[in-house]
Amino acid sequence: MYKRPKESEYSPFYHTYVKHVPEGDIAPLLKDQLQHTIKLVKNLTDEQAHFRYKEDKWSIKEVIGHMMDTERIMSYRLLCIARGDQASLPGFDEQNYAKHANFNEQEIEVLIQQFEQLRQSTIYLLQSIPDHVWKMEGTVSDYPITVQALAAIISGHELHHRHILIERYGLSA
């Protein structure tokens, strides 16, 4: 069963995300988070979703795309470690990923649908993990990391960016 990870279970880089994740069963938390995030963006027009709070910052569509890219990568890492893969997993450059994505060319409704389906897939994966696997450890960017830490990072990353959408982009549910 998922437990809040100790700081020794992940790179200090991820503390910003993990510290915001409440205790408790992670799957219902992820489902609830998704509903809150969708509520923020579901009534935006495509034009509104192109908004950037500063010229050099991502649009709302790009933020959503970044959230999806990160969840896909963290879920892949989680899957690898949960299945006993001992390969050292690489980091990723989120700026480069966003640069080569076409999030602004996609309709906001399509991005929302993708995010919902991705999150449901993540939840199914987490629900399938046996209790003894949550503490399994692997390596990402030369740092040790556990399965439960990756689950917390997925949750905390979304919380982090949802707060940014509210505070810097001015969205409200």
Side-chain angles (χ1 to χ4, degrees):
M1 186 54 131
Y2 168 82
K3 300 280 187 213
R4 181 184 197 87
K6 297 175 184 157
E7 289 185 36
S8 62
E9 295 181 50
Y10 55 89
S11 160
F13 174 82
Y14 296 115
H15 185 68
T16 302
Y17 307 131
V18 174
K19 72 180 180 181
H20 295 294
V21 180
E23 291 285 342
D25 191 353
I26 196 80
L29 174 64
L30 289 173
K31 193 172 197 170
D32 184 58
Q33 280 181 228
L34 174 66
Q35 297 312 312
H36 288 289
T37 299
I38 297 302
K39 204 172 182 185
L40 276 180
V41 298
K42 72 178 182 178
N43 293 321
L44 294 176
T45 65
D46 267 349
E47 185 177 324
Q48 291 169 323
H50 280 99
F51 174 75
R52 300 167 190 270
Y53 70 92
K54 284 174 80 175
E55 189 176 313
D56 63 337
K57 297 298 180 181
W58 289 336
S59 69
I60 293 169
K61 287 182 174 186
E62 289 170 321
V63 171
I64 295 167
H66 164 70
M67 291 166 65
M68 289 189 297
D69 278 353
T70 301
E71 185 155 335
R72 286 179 173 117
I73 290 166
M74 295 302 165
S75 293
Y76 171 74
R77 291 171 174 175
L78 187 149
L79 175 67
C80 290
I81 295 167
R83 299 299 192 257
D85 192 336
Q86 293 300 306
S88 182
L89 301 167
F92 76 104
D93 179 346
E94 69 274 0
Q95 295 297 332
N96 196 43
Y97 272 56
K99 177 181 169 184
H100 294 285
N102 68 340
F103 299 126
N104 282 322
E105 285 74 43
Q106 297 180 52
E107 294 179 19
I108 186 69
E109 295 86 14
V110 172
L111 291 170
I112 291 168
Q113 289 171 357
Q114 284 184 57
F115 190 41
E116 288 175 313
Q117 291 177 2
L118 171 63
R119 177 51 58 93
Q120 189 57 57
S121 178
T122 300
I123 290 168
Y124 286 142
L125 173 61
L126 295 174
Q127 290 172 331
S128 75
I129 294 175
D131 289 348
H132 71 278
V133 172
W134 287 96
K135 287 285 197 178
M136 286 180 71
E137 188 177 284
T139 305
V140 172
S141 299
D142 300 322
Y143 280 93
I145 196 161
T146 63
V147 169
Q148 68 186 5
L150 284 159
I153 292 164
I154 291 168
S155 175
H157 185 261
E158 181 188 346
L159 287 169
H160 171 77
H161 284 288
R162 184 178 347 131
H163 286 49
I164 288 173
L165 287 170
I166 292 167
E167 294 168 9
R168 297 184 190 161
Y169 290 80
L171 298 185
S172 62

